[in-house]
Amino acid sequence: MNTAKTLLNFVLAGALLGIAAASWIGPSFLGWYNETPYATQTMCNLPEVIRKTASDVLTYQAVGAGIGAFVMLVLGVLFVRRASRRARMQAGQTPPTAPPPAAPRATA
């Protein structure tokens, strides 16, 4: 159960990081992608442009969340495997046993 919690934490952290990255990078990309070539003026249907832009931002956030979750899941699996390998190695290394105490000598 502890492993599942660790992996879930990694996945959720990756999803949040992916959403944050997409929210930060997405608007710049959308501005560049929707720029008119050669500085020409265009007339557009503004409500449609707004809906499309909002849809694109949400799509990029969902993709960013998926990519972030996947990358962090892989890192989480590597982290859990390394931790379990260390635990097995430490369990295999038992400290040496102490010799039994010496019997007291009888004096005559």
Side-chain angles (χ1 to χ4, degrees):
M1 188 64 168
N2 193 18
T3 302
K5 286 181 185 178
T6 302
L7 289 178
L8 183 62
N9 284 335
F10 268 90
V11 168
L12 291 176
L16 288 175
L17 288 173
I19 289 171
S23 297
W24 182 55
I25 296 170
S28 299
F29 175 74
L30 286 172
W32 168 80
Y33 188 71
N34 291 318
E35 210 172 69
T36 56
Y38 309 115
T40 59
Q41 290 185 348
T42 60
M43 300 199 49
C44 62
N45 182 5
L46 191 55
E48 179 63 30
V49 171
I50 291 171
R51 278 192 291 275
K52 175 79 169 115
T53 302
S55 173
D56 286 347
V57 168
L58 292 174
T59 301
Y60 294 143
Q61 287 176 338
V63 169
I67 291 171
F70 178 75
V71 168
M72 290 300 283
L73 175 65
V74 170
L75 291 176
V77 167
L78 294 175
F79 175 79
V80 167
R81 287 183 57 153
R82 189 181 79 197
S84 68
R85 188 176 338 127
R86 281 187 180 173
R88 275 186 279 142
M89 288 179 69
Q90 287 179 354
Q93 297 175 354
T94 57
T97 58
R105 290 186 168 185
T107 56

